Amino acid sequence: MKVIDVWNPKGGQGKSMFSINLAAAAIELGKKPFVICQDPQGTSMLYHKGGNLPFKVLNSIPHTKPNADILIFDHQAADWEVPSGQLLIMPFKPARDQYATYTDAFKRAEGANKEIVTIVTDTNAHRADELKVTTAMKDRGAFVIPSSGVFGRAASEYRTIFDDALNRAYKVKDRRREFIQIMSHILVEVK
Ligand SMILES: Nc1ncnc2c1ncn2[C@@H]1O[C@H](COP(=O)(O)OP(=O)(O)OP(=O)(O)O)[C@@H](O)[C@H]1O
Ligand SMILES: [Mg+2]
């Protein structure tokens, strides 16, 4: 079973958005994922209650071995403890103040010898500083998910972007392709 920790101590960096949509991408690839929401009041639990998800969201680590191939832990904000899993996915938004927290957390994770995949999300294409950070991170192997209205729409309906109800949303095919690429990378390249 693959364990994926989606972690960034800063709030609002896209951890829940990423966890939910990564799980949906895993289903597209024939896997059986569970999302574990580390915050009982958390966003991924709300999605679950919306009733439109094709996978389970649990609010704690199951006591018995879950019937799943992939466990995705959606961590909560202000959690500075480096997660225990070997693979960390660190989403972050490239605005300057948020970049600083990401960098601190990244150093901690690196010190703990974790495998780290960085996701730059929601770059404001009109801001030169954000574009610069995005390009630099991409050069160092990060994945990029552009700012896209489909995430807000999906969130408001508690759906993943792979939901058929969003088939006609603007650029949804591009966003789906990015998530499939990231999930494939994790399955193929990362131990
Ligand atoms: N690429 C993107 N385009 C547009 N909106 C985005 C993008 N990435 C994330 N967002 C939005 O940013 C907001 C914060 O995302 P999310 O709730 O996933 O962050 P979080 O890190 O889980 O926050 P918290 O630490 O509070 O749990 C959400 O409204 C989400 O839809
Ligand atoms: Mg969250």
Side-chain angles (χ1 to χ4, degrees):
M1 189 163 35
K2 215 170 191 86
V3 173
I4 300 172
D5 283 289
V6 181
W7 180 65
N8 182 337
K10 181 103 184 162
Q13 297 301 293
K15 296 181 287 293
S16 299
M17 177 286 285
F18 186 82
S19 300
I20 291 290
N21 288 303
L22 188 72
I27 294 211
E28 296 290 313
L29 292 169
K31 301 291 174 188
K32 186 159 187 208
F34 280 2
V35 170
I36 301 178
C37 185
Q38 294 293 73
D39 170 4
Q41 309 294 319
T43 311
S44 38
M45 217 56 220
L46 287 176
Y47 271 82
H48 179 65
K49 287 175 185 149
N52 291 318
L53 297 183
F55 50 83
K56 273 194 196 160
V57 182
L58 313 175
N59 58 12
S60 61
I61 302 167
H63 294 299
T64 53
K65 194 165 183 282
N67 174 25
D69 314 313
I70 303 177
L71 291 187
I72 300 171
F73 286 83
D74 175 15
H75 286 268
Q76 56 183 320
D79 174 8
W80 273 96
E81 196 178 318
V82 178
S84 58
Q86 189 48 37
L87 171 60
L88 306 189
I89 309 269
M90 298 189 64
F92 84 95
K93 300 189 180 185
R96 193 174 304 157
D97 54 328
Q98 325 204 7
Y99 181 61
T101 306
Y102 159 80
T103 307
D104 288 352
F106 183 91
K107 280 184 200 143
R108 282 190 183 216
E110 225 181 9
N113 284 320
K114 301 293 180 181
E115 188 115 34
I116 306 162
V117 175
T118 297
I119 313 286
V120 185
T121 191
D122 207 12
T123 305
N124 182 342
H126 301 293
R127 292 204 54 127
D129 56 338
E130 294 195 18
L131 284 174
K132 202 173 151 195
V133 169
T134 304
T135 307
M137 294 305 303
K138 210 172 165 179
D139 290 346
R140 289 201 239 143
F143 289 89
V144 174
I145 300 172
S147 187
S148 219
V150 70
F151 294 112
R153 162 124 187 250
S156 71
E157 299 177 14
Y158 298 124
R159 298 178 192 280
T160 79
I161 62 163
F162 290 88
D163 193 305
D164 282 342
L166 293 172
N167 280 352
R168 295 162 70 97
Y170 183 63
K171 295 222 167 165
V172 69
K173 287 202 180 105
D174 293 337
R175 299 298 84 83
R176 286 174 180 171
R177 187 168 12 85
E178 286 146 13
F179 271 94
I180 295 276
Q181 260 167 16
I182 296 168
M183 192 66 239
S184 308
H185 171 83
I186 292 169
L187 290 172
V188 175
E189 305 285 341
V190 183
K191 260 191 275 164

